[in-house]
Amino acid sequence: MAMATQTEKGRQMSPFFQQIIGIAKVLLSIAATMLGLLFVTFFIGRVMPIDPVLSIVGERATKEVYDAAYIKLGLDKPLIVQFFKYVVDVVQGDFGQSLRTGFPVSDDIKRLFPATLELATLGTLIGVFVGVPLGVIAAVKRGSWIDQVARVVALIGYSMPVFWLGMIGLLVFYGQLGWIGGPGRLDIFYEDIIPTVTGMILIDSALAQDWGIFRNAISHIILPACLLGYYSLAYLSRMTRSFMLEQMSAEYVITARVKGLSEWAVIWKHAFGNIRVQLITVIALSYAGLLEGSVLTEIIFAWPGIGSYITTSLLSADMNAVMGGTVVVGLVFVLLNIFSDLLYKVFDPRAK
Amino acid sequence: MSETQSLRAWLLTETPTSRRHAKLSAIYHAWLSFRTNTMAMIGLIILVLLVVVAVVAPWLAPADPFAQTLANRLQPPGTDGHILGTDSLGRDLMSRLIYGSRITLYIVGLVALIAPITGLLVGTVAGYVGGFTDMVLMRITDIFLAFPRLVLALAFVAALGAGIENAVLAISLTAWPPYARMARAETLTIRSSDYISAIRLQGAGPLRIITKHIWPLCISSLIVRVTLDMAGIILAAAGLGFLGLGAQPPSPEWGAMISEGRRFILDHWWVATVPGLAIFTVSLAFNLLGDGLRDVLDPKDSEK
């Protein structure tokens, strides 16, 4: 639409073509990055010192059975052909069969991804709603006690091993105080009652209006979400603070103050308005980070998401699952990056 | 005038007499401004202590970190002979912690060498040569950046086999891209400056320009970045150890110790808590030091 209006305005065709070329470039770079990603996972799958044939036919298979499986897997073909076949399969959404679960990897991922998404989204929300205001206040009241507190909070967040903090959290709030649900997404007797719509239990139970399950799900997700939220908060508050500091020393802020605007308007309307774009980029990055970085958190909390799927598959040498999971997480990561780039271009006129 | 005072005056001089003199003077000035930063000094002191502890570990440790005494298992902190208690095999936690500092330093040291040097090489070459080379190298960098770091490290360790060296390699493989990007950006700004043209007119080849004139200018921002990244490296190594993909038992690696203690956390909290605190302290120290170094070495980026 933006392009159409531009040509209607009587501009020449060249900017239009430039935009098309720009879009083509972006698409090409996504494709190139994804191809590279696939190459790396393929390479990892190849150098893995595990014989994929043996893990299918078993150790006691005869030579004939072994050879048949070898040829069926296409392992006799040149590597480049195998890679090509792998890419074609992945593009069609076929990651092969998981040896551990016995299901197609794509089905496993479809089932598990919502759990990761639910956790990471909640974590990001906590990070944004606490971290951003904290960063703004720290920048405005620079050097005050609240700035120091924000600094210490962020430093601790950067330095704390997430799996350890999660364990201590479970020990205190679940083991000692009994305030929250333990590991997993629900208590065992609540499992499989509500129909799966989105795969995110909080949303599904709200849709089914089963508030008992909803409350139980909250009690399970609250600690891991706060944990991820804390890491997101540490990063976001620091970034917000430095963005805001940059704006607060700009001359338009002085102008706004001289005009007699209230401090509130200066900070939130003028300065904050200008950092929104940068902020969105950082939030997207941190969201992507939580989606991929929740591996350890998911393991500690026995959270059946993509991170724990990759790790447990890895430990049981289920390479199809590992490669599939890695590709999907990588794809999400790339897409979020590109999404934030696009937002930048849409909202920041200077970037055009 | 005493000797130290004259040395100080020599270092603080406004009119250096030689190149070395000027350099030492600059370093001394940086040190003086660094010293005023209390938090950074705390970080530095913790890290110096860590190095000392690692070096004198055999004399410092009250017991053999591998000696099992099953009769003495899971003793709480403060039991006589075991200040921090014992683990599930009756090994002295204090001794294991002390020996574990060696592994931590080993991992951090190796990664801090491999990753920035790889990044520096890739980044400067890409930035200096430009064109097609730049495009290919940066595309590769982007691919590695696009990968989830821990997942990539996991996959590499799984492919190479679990162990400290492979963990180091895997972490380095995931850690170098940001350095490459940074070095490239610096190279691009330096490359077109007048003094590089002057050197080139004097007949310097690309190799000489890169190694003698571009690298030294990239170093300071690289050092700051490495120090700030150290905490992340420690946490990644501990994470791998925790998953059983880093150092293997009975090695007293801190992440692996947490993993061992995890099974007993509800009744015997100290087994997992103590090594976690150690990891936290060391990575906090690196963060504090990194912040301080940034203020001194990279004033344009510092927040103050």
Side-chain angles (χ1 to χ4, degrees), chain B residues 213-269:
Chain B
H213 299 278
I214 294 183
W215 280 3
L217 289 176
C218 296
I219 292 290
S220 73
S221 45
L222 218 57
I223 288 179
V224 173
R225 182 70 203 243
V226 169
T227 322
L228 285 171
D229 278 357
M230 291 289 209
I233 293 168
I234 291 178
L235 296 183
L240 285 178
F242 176 75
L243 292 173
L245 293 169
Q248 295 299 304
S251 158
E253 199 268 327
W254 293 344
M257 283 168 72
I258 296 182
S259 162
E260 280 168 30
R262 188 183 166 201
R263 283 176 293 152
F264 313 101
I265 182 98
L266 287 180
D267 300 317
H268 311 278
W269 53 270

XYZ file of all heavy atoms in Angstrom, chain B residues 213-269:
433
model
N 48.750 -1.255 12.378
C 48.048 0.020 12.502
C 46.562 -0.112 12.762
O 45.962 0.807 13.287
C 48.289 0.870 11.239
C 49.730 1.185 11.048
N 50.358 2.208 11.700
C 50.686 0.560 10.319
C 51.642 2.221 11.364
N 51.868 1.231 10.537
N 45.972 -1.223 12.378
C 44.536 -1.366 12.638
C 44.296 -2.139 13.933
O 43.523 -1.715 14.789
C 43.828 -2.021 11.436
C 43.896 -1.058 10.248
C 42.395 -2.349 11.776
C 43.187 -1.524 9.026
N 44.981 -3.252 14.075
C 44.782 -4.050 15.296
C 44.966 -3.265 16.586
O 44.112 -3.322 17.462
C 45.697 -5.286 15.277
C 45.134 -6.374 14.420
C 43.995 -6.324 13.662
C 45.677 -7.672 14.213
N 43.807 -7.506 13.001
C 44.834 -8.353 13.318
C 46.808 -8.330 14.694
C 45.064 -9.656 12.899
C 47.050 -9.633 14.285
C 46.184 -10.290 13.386
N 46.083 -2.520 16.711
C 46.268 -1.823 17.995
C 45.097 -0.921 18.340
O 44.769 -0.748 19.513
C 47.541 -1.002 17.767
C 48.257 -1.711 16.692
C 47.206 -2.282 15.792
N 44.443 -0.369 17.327
C 43.341 0.541 17.607
C 42.057 -0.207 17.962
O 41.152 0.353 18.559
C 43.103 1.462 16.402
C 44.205 2.493 16.220
C 43.957 3.304 14.972
C 44.274 3.411 17.433
N 41.972 -1.460 17.538
C 40.773 -2.232 17.875
C 40.871 -2.811 19.284
O 39.866 -3.159 19.897
C 40.597 -3.398 16.902
S 40.304 -2.899 15.213
N 42.119 -2.919 19.781
C 42.338 -3.690 21.004
C 41.525 -3.178 22.189
O 40.890 -3.964 22.884
C 43.842 -3.715 21.369
C 44.614 -4.531 20.326
C 44.060 -4.298 22.747
C 44.343 -5.992 20.355
N 41.504 -1.845 22.399
C 40.929 -1.390 23.661
C 39.435 -1.694 23.741
O 38.949 -2.167 24.765
C 41.216 0.090 23.884
O 40.418 0.865 23.033
N 38.723 -1.465 22.634
C 37.293 -1.777 22.715
C 37.083 -3.290 22.812
O 36.132 -3.763 23.424
C 36.541 -1.203 21.517
O 37.224 -1.443 20.328
N 38.015 -4.046 22.226
C 37.922 -5.501 22.300
C 38.095 -5.978 23.744
O 37.355 -6.839 24.211
C 39.006 -6.109 21.405
C 38.633 -7.358 20.628
C 37.433 -7.109 19.760
C 39.809 -7.809 19.788
N 39.068 -5.371 24.428
C 39.324 -5.793 25.811
C 38.090 -5.548 26.675
O 37.676 -6.410 27.460
C 40.530 -5.032 26.394
C 41.814 -5.545 25.735
C 40.615 -5.211 27.913
C 43.058 -4.856 26.212
N 37.491 -4.373 26.501
C 36.303 -4.058 27.287
C 35.215 -5.095 27.021
O 34.613 -5.662 27.931
C 35.781 -2.654 26.921
C 34.462 -2.400 27.601
C 36.792 -1.608 27.302
N 35.015 -5.369 25.737
C 33.969 -6.307 25.353
C 34.246 -7.702 25.913
O 33.354 -8.378 26.417
C 33.895 -6.324 23.824
C 32.841 -7.197 23.243
C 31.473 -6.610 23.516
N 30.497 -7.670 23.443
C 29.511 -7.729 22.556
N 29.333 -6.750 21.723
N 28.679 -8.736 22.549
N 35.517 -8.125 25.837
C 35.869 -9.451 26.348
C 35.573 -9.534 27.843
O 34.962 -10.494 28.312
C 37.361 -9.773 26.083
C 37.775 -11.022 26.836
C 37.606 -9.954 24.606
N 35.971 -8.495 28.584
C 35.750 -8.533 30.024
C 34.270 -8.611 30.346
O 33.859 -9.360 31.233
C 36.343 -7.278 30.689
O 37.549 -6.954 30.031
C 36.602 -7.516 32.143
N 33.473 -7.827 29.596
C 32.036 -7.865 29.857
C 31.446 -9.211 29.448
O 30.459 -9.665 30.022
C 31.336 -6.730 29.107
C 31.529 -5.348 29.718
C 30.994 -4.282 28.793
C 30.843 -5.264 31.075
N 32.062 -9.850 28.443
C 31.549 -11.144 27.983
C 31.950 -12.303 28.882
O 31.348 -13.368 28.835
C 32.060 -11.439 26.568
C 31.219 -10.747 25.515
O 30.235 -10.115 25.911
O 31.548 -10.855 24.327
N 33.006 -12.083 29.669
C 33.521 -13.164 30.523
C 32.429 -13.778 31.388
O 32.342 -14.989 31.530
C 34.597 -12.633 31.468
C 35.846 -12.243 30.771
S 36.727 -13.646 30.180
C 38.358 -12.982 30.268
N 31.599 -12.887 31.959
C 30.535 -13.382 32.822
C 29.653 -14.339 32.027
O 29.328 -15.435 32.499
C 29.713 -12.225 33.353
N 29.306 -13.942 30.801
C 28.482 -14.797 29.958
C 29.181 -16.124 29.660
O 28.545 -17.169 29.633
N 30.499 -16.056 29.451
C 31.254 -17.276 29.156
C 31.239 -18.216 30.354
O 31.004 -19.421 30.223
C 32.705 -16.904 28.776
C 32.723 -16.153 27.448
C 33.577 -18.152 28.702
C 34.036 -15.503 27.137
N 31.446 -17.634 31.531
C 31.422 -18.457 32.744
C 30.060 -19.121 32.899
O 29.956 -20.324 33.192
C 31.730 -17.599 33.986
C 33.192 -17.177 33.938
C 31.421 -18.341 35.265
C 33.581 -16.287 35.077
N 29.001 -18.328 32.673
C 27.657 -18.885 32.829
C 27.389 -19.964 31.786
O 26.779 -20.995 32.090
C 26.603 -17.775 32.723
C 26.659 -16.711 33.824
C 25.530 -15.722 33.653
C 26.592 -17.346 35.193
N 27.864 -19.751 30.545
C 27.664 -20.755 29.505
C 28.408 -22.047 29.855
O 27.869 -23.152 29.729
C 28.135 -20.226 28.164
N 29.657 -21.886 30.317
C 30.445 -23.072 30.682
C 29.776 -23.819 31.825
O 29.669 -25.058 31.812
C 31.861 -22.656 31.075
N 29.290 -23.058 32.801
C 28.619 -23.693 33.932
C 27.346 -24.387 33.465
O 27.022 -25.493 33.922
C 28.301 -22.649 35.002
N 26.643 -23.752 32.515
C 25.429 -24.358 31.978
C 25.727 -25.683 31.290
O 25.028 -26.673 31.490
N 26.793 -25.686 30.484
C 27.178 -26.931 29.819
C 27.569 -27.987 30.852
O 27.205 -29.164 30.723
C 28.345 -26.683 28.859
C 28.001 -25.975 27.557
C 29.253 -25.743 26.729
C 27.002 -26.790 26.755
N 28.323 -27.545 31.860
C 28.718 -28.483 32.914
C 27.492 -29.043 33.629
O 27.402 -30.235 33.917
N 26.521 -28.146 33.853
C 25.292 -28.547 34.532
C 24.533 -29.592 33.722
O 23.969 -30.531 34.266
C 24.431 -27.303 34.748
C 23.092 -27.591 35.357
C 22.987 -27.901 36.695
C 21.948 -27.562 34.586
C 21.766 -28.169 37.254
C 20.719 -27.830 35.137
C 20.624 -28.132 36.475
N 24.556 -29.458 32.401
C 23.846 -30.400 31.542
C 24.643 -31.687 31.336
O 24.192 -32.605 30.659
C 23.562 -29.763 30.184
C 22.554 -28.628 30.193
C 22.471 -27.964 28.834
C 21.181 -29.149 30.602
N 25.848 -31.729 31.907
C 26.665 -32.929 31.768
C 27.443 -32.951 30.479
O 27.941 -34.000 30.068
N 27.568 -31.790 29.818
C 28.267 -31.765 28.538
C 29.615 -31.071 28.636
O 30.363 -31.027 27.675
C 27.408 -31.050 27.491
C 26.136 -31.796 27.120
C 25.215 -30.925 26.304
C 26.473 -33.049 26.343
N 29.931 -30.508 29.805
C 31.219 -29.849 29.958
C 32.193 -30.788 30.637
O 32.360 -31.931 30.214
N 32.799 -30.274 31.698
C 33.728 -31.106 32.458
C 33.007 -32.340 32.989
O 31.849 -32.272 33.384
C 34.300 -30.286 33.610
N 33.675 -33.453 32.948
C 33.047 -34.697 33.369
C 33.382 -35.024 34.827
O 34.449 -34.674 35.303
C 33.538 -35.838 32.460
C 33.108 -35.681 31.027
C 31.591 -35.664 30.888
O 30.906 -36.585 31.310
N 31.043 -34.588 30.330
N 32.480 -35.687 35.526
C 32.791 -36.114 36.875
C 33.993 -37.065 36.849
O 34.138 -37.763 35.849
C 31.528 -36.843 37.352
C 30.615 -36.900 36.183
C 31.154 -36.073 35.088
N 34.798 -37.083 37.850
C 34.661 -36.413 39.155
C 35.247 -35.008 39.183
O 35.489 -34.482 40.264
C 35.461 -37.328 40.060
C 36.583 -37.831 39.200
C 36.008 -37.935 37.807
N 35.473 -34.421 38.011
C 36.088 -33.098 37.968
C 35.273 -32.092 38.768
O 34.052 -32.042 38.658
C 36.181 -32.664 36.508
O 36.275 -31.291 36.426
N 35.946 -31.272 39.600
C 35.193 -30.340 40.459
C 34.788 -29.061 39.726
O 34.989 -27.964 40.231
C 36.177 -30.049 41.584
C 37.514 -30.198 40.959
C 37.388 -31.237 39.878
N 34.238 -29.194 38.532
C 33.765 -27.997 37.829
C 32.488 -27.516 38.513
O 31.648 -28.321 38.890
C 33.509 -28.340 36.352
C 33.448 -27.154 35.434
C 32.040 -26.629 35.261
O 31.096 -27.439 35.292
O 31.874 -25.421 35.124
N 32.355 -26.182 38.647
C 31.275 -25.648 39.481
C 29.887 -25.988 38.944
O 28.981 -26.327 39.712
C 31.445 -24.141 39.654
C 32.672 -23.780 40.449
C 33.397 -24.634 41.244
C 33.320 -22.519 40.523
N 34.455 -23.968 41.792
C 34.431 -22.664 41.370
C 33.063 -21.268 39.953
C 35.293 -21.608 41.666
C 33.918 -20.212 40.243
C 35.018 -20.389 41.094
N 29.712 -25.893 37.628
C 28.401 -26.214 37.058
C 28.037 -27.669 37.285
O 26.898 -28.006 37.648
N 29.025 -28.552 37.091
C 28.784 -29.976 37.314
C 28.479 -30.249 38.776
O 27.681 -31.129 39.113
C 29.997 -30.785 36.853
N 29.120 -29.474 39.668
C 28.856 -29.660 41.107
C 27.408 -29.301 41.429
O 26.757 -29.978 42.235
C 29.809 -28.787 41.931
C 31.220 -29.357 42.028
S 32.391 -28.160 42.702
C 31.891 -28.111 44.407
N 26.909 -28.231 40.794
C 25.501 -27.863 41.019
C 24.598 -28.998 40.553
O 23.634 -29.373 41.222
C 25.147 -26.570 40.263
C 25.956 -25.414 40.801
C 23.662 -26.274 40.387
C 25.630 -24.100 40.151
N 24.954 -29.548 39.391
C 24.143 -30.622 38.844
C 24.129 -31.833 39.774
O 23.095 -32.473 39.979
C 24.705 -30.964 37.466
O 24.278 -32.197 37.047
N 25.290 -32.132 40.379
C 25.344 -33.245 41.335
C 24.483 -32.958 42.557
O 23.816 -33.845 43.092
C 26.791 -33.484 41.787
C 27.620 -34.269 40.788
C 29.105 -34.212 41.141
O 29.431 -34.111 42.337
O 29.914 -34.260 40.206
N 24.530 -31.679 42.975
C 23.813 -31.313 44.192
C 22.323 -31.187 43.980
O 21.549 -31.152 44.927
N 21.915 -31.105 42.712
C 20.508 -30.860 42.411
C 19.602 -31.940 42.989
O 18.510 -31.661 43.470
C 20.348 -30.803 40.901
C 18.987 -30.375 40.454
C 18.908 -30.424 38.959
N 17.515 -30.337 38.543
C 17.083 -30.736 37.372
N 17.939 -31.231 36.490
N 15.817 -30.638 37.061
N 20.096 -33.166 42.972
C 19.249 -34.272 43.448
C 18.947 -34.169 44.939
O 17.986 -34.726 45.432
C 19.958 -35.598 43.164
C 19.859 -36.022 41.712
C 20.648 -37.281 41.490
N 22.077 -37.041 41.648
C 22.949 -37.956 42.030
N 22.548 -39.164 42.338
N 24.226 -37.658 42.120
N 19.836 -33.474 45.671
C 19.665 -33.428 47.122
C 19.181 -32.070 47.600
O 19.172 -31.806 48.793
C 20.995 -33.747 47.816
C 21.671 -34.938 47.238
C 22.725 -34.794 46.358
C 21.229 -36.217 47.545
C 23.333 -35.900 45.814
C 21.833 -37.318 46.991
C 22.888 -37.171 46.122
N 18.775 -31.220 46.629
C 18.558 -29.817 46.990
C 17.534 -29.640 48.110
O 17.695 -28.776 48.961
C 18.159 -29.002 45.735
C 17.977 -27.534 46.065
C 16.892 -29.503 45.087
C 19.140 -26.703 45.746
N 16.500 -30.455 48.145
C 15.442 -30.217 49.117
C 15.899 -30.470 50.547
O 15.496 -29.770 51.467
C 14.206 -31.062 48.782
C 13.442 -30.565 47.556
C 12.239 -31.437 47.282
C 13.013 -29.119 47.700
N 16.767 -31.470 50.739
C 17.192 -31.772 52.107
C 18.596 -31.277 52.417
O 18.931 -31.050 53.575
C 17.130 -33.281 52.339
C 15.723 -33.803 52.153
O 14.806 -33.132 52.651
O 15.545 -34.842 51.495
N 19.414 -31.175 51.364
C 20.807 -30.794 51.606
C 21.171 -29.643 50.673
O 21.866 -29.813 49.690
C 21.734 -31.991 51.352
C 21.270 -33.234 52.035
N 21.528 -33.473 53.362
C 20.548 -34.282 51.599
C 20.992 -34.641 53.707
N 20.394 -35.146 52.661
N 20.657 -28.458 51.017
C 20.745 -27.324 50.104
C 22.160 -26.900 49.772
O 22.433 -26.397 48.696
C 19.979 -26.135 50.684
C 20.401 -25.782 52.073
C 19.871 -26.283 53.218
C 21.455 -24.922 52.463
N 20.521 -25.781 54.308
C 21.494 -24.948 53.876
C 22.368 -24.124 51.777
C 22.434 -24.216 54.609
C 23.290 -23.391 52.501
C 23.323 -23.436 53.897
